[in-house]
Amino acid sequence: MSGAQPLLPGATLGVLGGGQLGRMFVHAAQAMGYFTAVLDADPNSPAGLVSHHHIRTAYEDPDGLAQLAGLSDAVTTEFENVPAQALRTLGAERPVAPAADAVAIAQDRAAEKAHFGRCGVPCAPYAVIASAAELAAVDAALLPGILKTARMGYDGKGQSRVKTREELADAWQAMGEVPCVLEKMLPLALECSVIVARGADGACVHLPVQRNLHRAGILAVTEVHEGNVPADLAEQAVAAAKSIAEGLRYVGVLCVEFFVLQDGSLVVNEIAPRPHNSGHYSQNACDVSQFELQVRTMAGLPLTQPRQHSPAVMLNLLGDLWFPQGTHAQPQTPAWAAVLALPGTHLHLYGKADAKPGRKMGHLNVTAATAEAARATALQAAALLG
Ligand code: ADP
Ligand code: MG
């Protein structure tokens, strides 16, 4: 982003969005000696709480964006649903990575799927539904399917599973007839993801392929170790993720989610133009974390191929853990001390004051000498957490 001259420690790195991904970016940037600036309206945002500078305005606020550009030597984002226009505004003033155009594609499932097609990476059969005529013309072969809003969906929100044309029509109406994609429901064998980091010079490195388990549309567990995904599929996934990044002339950290189908084939699901929940294990299991990769790409520092030094299991810690057995009484602090007595446990909490069911409060990385040991410890930790 910054041409041949990297931004060295002592410079200020800005981030649009103050959630947990921004917080962990801030931690990584500060560890390397950078100053940080966060733009987020929430005075208690996880990243705002730990940043040198916190601009408390909406993402579209012209004064807020001008302040962020004024403070920062380069800017990134931690949230794909920030208006691409905000990134364009910033991009006129400062190097921005990833660029607004790449984020705009990741924000729109229809544009994203068209990009997969251009890269020659197969995705689920789908149709774009943005009008009553398109709804009527949907191929019956796409049912049963999943209707997804083209924009603003995350953690399974903005999705509806439909079996018949009637259910499809009702679901589209219930979504307010906004532009959607209908995807064929695929028989999944497993889900995995790959994080790539690409520099302005085109250098591209990747983290090992992550195997992901979702519960109720939210990532629950990520396992990363030798053999978590068959080697030939892992290789295909890395190659596909790199071609998707290259096709976007992407600069920054990009996560590509995949499905492995029951017939053993690989299809791409979606991309996230930022570090990803499934990459959190890299904080404790790799010699370079996904957040350090984000710092390096936006600062124009060299990228070296990350090396995983320990098998890892990551457990997402949702607010539900604060309400054992589904009680709705006062929240209770989970048994952190007991969990941390287990070897190789690394607790990451995001500084969110209120635990709520379904809210991402933190994650636990478990590292061990072997995959079996990491899994056994993760099971013990999960049992202690209830
Ligand atoms: P989000 O943006 O909420 O992460 P995804 O498109 O990744 O949305 O869907 C969430 C989850 O729903 C996926 O991780 C997968 O488990 C399931 N899913 C999504 N699309 C399909 C599909 N076409 N076939 C089968 N399962 C799917
Ligand atoms: Mg997803």
Side-chain angles (χ1 to χ4, degrees), residues 109 148 154-156 159 191 214 217 257 259 269-270 276:
R109 291 188 194 273
K148 304 180 180 179
Y154 67 98
D155 287 347
Q159 298 194 6
E191 295 189 59
H214 296 82
E257 293 182 22
F259 300 140
N269 173 26
E270 61 172 350
H276 192 261

Side-chain angles (χ1 to χ4, degrees), residues 190 208-209 211 223-232 234 308 371-372 375:
L190 62 92
V209 177
R211 180 163 177 169
E223 289 199 14
V224 195
H225 53 75
E226 205 64 33
N228 62 345
V229 171
D232 55 327
Q308 184 178 7
E372 292 67 35
R375 206 177 285 135

Side-chain angles (χ1 to χ4, degrees), residues 80 109 112-113 124-125 145-146 148 152-159 161 182-188 191 212-219 257-259 261 267 269-271 274 276:
E80 67 262 47
R109 291 188 194 273
E112 179 178 82
K113 283 175 160 55
I146 307 188
K148 304 180 180 179
M152 304 300 271
Y154 67 98
D155 287 347
K157 294 183 177 72
Q159 298 194 6
R161 296 182 176 215
L182 174 68
E183 278 179 42
K184 188 176 172 63
M185 178 75 84
L186 298 175
L188 309 189
E191 295 189 59
N212 302 324
L213 185 86
H214 296 82
R215 279 190 207 114
I218 304 180
L219 183 67
E257 293 182 22
F258 295 93
F259 300 140
L261 306 189
V267 302
N269 173 26
E270 61 172 350
I271 58 176
R274 48 167 175 77
H276 192 261

Side-chain angles (χ1 to χ4, degrees), residues 82-373:
V82 295
Q85 192 49 46
L87 291 172
R88 279 199 190 96
T89 304
L90 289 166
E93 305 281 324
R94 290 285 181 255
V96 172
D101 290 353
V103 174
I105 288 177
Q107 281 176 342
D108 185 311
R109 291 188 194 273
E112 179 178 82
K113 283 175 160 55
H115 179 69
F116 299 151
R118 285 193 294 275
C119 297
V121 179
C123 62
Y126 73 100
V128 176
I129 300 179
S131 66
E134 282 170 330
L135 176 71
V138 158
D139 186 342
L142 294 177
L143 297 168
I146 307 188
L147 185 70
K148 304 180 180 179
T149 56
R151 303 177 68 83
M152 304 300 271
Y154 67 98
D155 287 347
K157 294 183 177 72
Q159 298 194 6
S160 180
R161 296 182 176 215
V162 293
K163 290 202 195 69
T164 62
R165 282 189 176 279
E166 291 69 40
E167 286 180 14
L168 171 62
D170 290 348
W172 190 55
Q173 197 177 36
M175 286 174 181
E177 304 190 351
V178 294
C180 285
V181 297
L182 174 68
E183 278 179 42
K184 188 176 172 63
M185 178 75 84
L186 298 175
L188 309 189
L190 62 92
E191 295 189 59
C192 62
S193 55
V194 178
I195 283 161
V196 296
R198 189 168 179 276
D201 60 357
C204 194
V205 301
H206 64 92
L207 291 174
V209 177
Q210 298 120 203
R211 180 163 177 169
N212 302 324
L213 185 86
H214 296 82
R215 279 190 207 114
I218 304 180
L219 183 67
V221 182
T222 295
E223 289 199 14
V224 195
H225 53 75
E226 205 64 33
N228 62 345
V229 171
D232 55 327
L233 287 170
E235 228 171 87
Q236 269 183 52
V238 170
K242 288 190 168 181
S243 84
I244 288 166
E246 264 148 35
L248 290 169
R249 300 209 189 131
Y250 194 84
V251 179
V253 170
L254 179 76
C255 179
V256 184
E257 293 182 22
F258 295 93
F259 300 140
V260 175
L261 306 189
Q262 282 167 16
D263 67 3
S265 58
L266 182 82
V267 302
V268 61
N269 173 26
E270 61 172 350
I271 58 176
R274 48 167 175 77
H276 192 261
N277 200 160
S278 64
H280 290 351
Y281 73 99
S282 61
Q283 293 172 307
N284 300 106
C286 297
D287 57 3
V288 185
S289 76
Q290 62 171 347
F291 301 103
E292 180 174 338
L293 290 172
Q294 186 179 19
V295 171
R296 286 183 181 232
T297 51
M298 76 186 287
L301 289 170
L303 295 175
T304 57
Q305 176 54 42
R307 184 179 66 85
Q308 184 178 7
H309 50 68
S310 301
V313 177
M314 185 229 46
L315 302 180
N316 246 0
L317 304 173
L318 300 183
D320 308 62
L321 297 179
W322 276 248
F323 301 94
Q325 281 94 47
T327 53
H328 295 285
Q330 282 297 96
Q332 292 175 31
T333 305
W336 302 136
V339 167
L340 291 170
L342 301 171
T345 52
H346 314 270
L347 181 63
H348 299 260
L349 291 174
Y350 308 146
K352 297 181 183 177
D354 299 323
K356 288 183 202 140
R359 190 173 197 203
K360 288 179 180 170
M361 301 298 289
H363 62 276
L364 185 77
N365 286 337
V366 180
T367 55
T370 65
E372 292 67 35

